[in-house]
Amino acid sequence: MSLGDPPESRQAALRAMAHPVRLRMLSLLTGASLTAADIARELGLTHANASYHLRNLLAAGLIVQAAEERIRGGVAKRYRYDAERSRDRDRETMLGEHGADSQRALFAVVANELIRRTAAADWSVGGSMTDAELWVDPDAWRAIRDRITELSRDLHAAARPPHTPGTIRTSTTIAMFRMAES
């Protein structure tokens, strides 16, 4: 998806991401390429429901088919989420005609997802959260934003398949933006 794509295409991608199950699927598909059956087991969905949501994500260009494999005489498709491609798409979407409205809608979905995730949090080991509306030097802002973006890439690269021995399940949400002058 790029700015050259029709607005309907960009909006379709945002609509696809705006479903809480699909948002969870994107997270799962960061660490590994998975089949519809894998996702159904992990999220407690029917295979048909997982397949439906995967088709929506694929049609919106949010995931890619990573491989095919033969399973019990059939062919299972494996899908994955490409975080780099997503960041490029997000940058272009924010610059598009409906960028601000789209981003606000996506943030609302993510806020609801955070409510679900915090119910499963292990608070005994601590965590970290920053929420602030600050005035900072523009050069400092760009430098900090760029460092956090790089750390986000590192985190995506470190992601492993669900339940991989020696891993822990985490939740990370980062939202940074410059505010309009008031």
Side-chain angles (χ1 to χ4, degrees):
M1 183 172 76
S2 71
L3 281 176
D5 290 344
E8 307 82 49
S9 173
R10 292 193 304 269
Q11 291 300 327
L14 288 164
R15 275 193 306 277
M17 280 192 333
H19 193 288
V21 168
R22 293 183 199 135
L23 209 55
R24 291 182 70 194
M25 287 177 155
L26 290 174
S27 291
L28 286 174
L29 293 170
T30 297
S33 60
L34 301 172
T35 65
D38 296 331
I39 289 172
R41 276 190 299 276
E42 184 63 28
L43 298 181
L45 304 172
T46 65
H47 185 277
N49 198 0
S51 293
Y52 168 78
H53 288 297
L54 283 168
R55 282 193 305 274
N56 276 275
L57 291 169
L58 185 64
L62 296 170
I63 59 173
V64 295
Q65 185 177 326
E68 286 186 357
E69 61 187 57
R70 294 196 82 51
I71 298 177
R72 292 185 287 281
V75 176
K77 296 177 182 177
R78 291 192 164 276
Y79 300 94
R80 70 176 174 80
Y81 173 66
D82 184 343
E84 282 299 316
R85 182 177 173 198
S86 177
R87 269 189 284 280
D88 292 342
R89 182 201 62 251
D90 289 347
R91 264 191 300 279
E92 292 173 348
T93 300
M94 283 188 273
L95 297 173
E97 178 183 346
H98 303 289
D101 290 340
S102 298
Q103 287 304 111
R104 280 192 294 275
L106 182 57
F107 284 2
V109 171
V110 170
N112 285 326
E113 176 63 5
L114 282 173
I115 292 168
R116 184 199 62 80
R117 289 181 192 175
T118 57
D122 179 358
W123 298 110
S124 68
V125 295
S128 173
M129 179 183 167
T130 300
D131 177 50
E133 187 173 322
L134 308 168
W135 291 83
V136 297
D137 174 80
D139 290 333
W141 156 252
R142 282 188 290 278
I144 293 166
R145 180 202 57 204
D146 292 349
R147 286 196 331 249
I148 290 173
T149 298
E150 187 60 35
L151 290 171
S152 175
R153 286 186 179 117
D154 292 348
L155 189 59
H156 275 93
R160 299 295 172 253
H163 311 285
T164 297
T167 63
I168 58 172
R169 183 176 173 204
T170 67
S171 174
T172 303
T173 302
I174 301 168
M176 296 179 69
F177 46 90
R178 181 177 169 173
M179 297 186 67
E181 297 297 323
S182 52

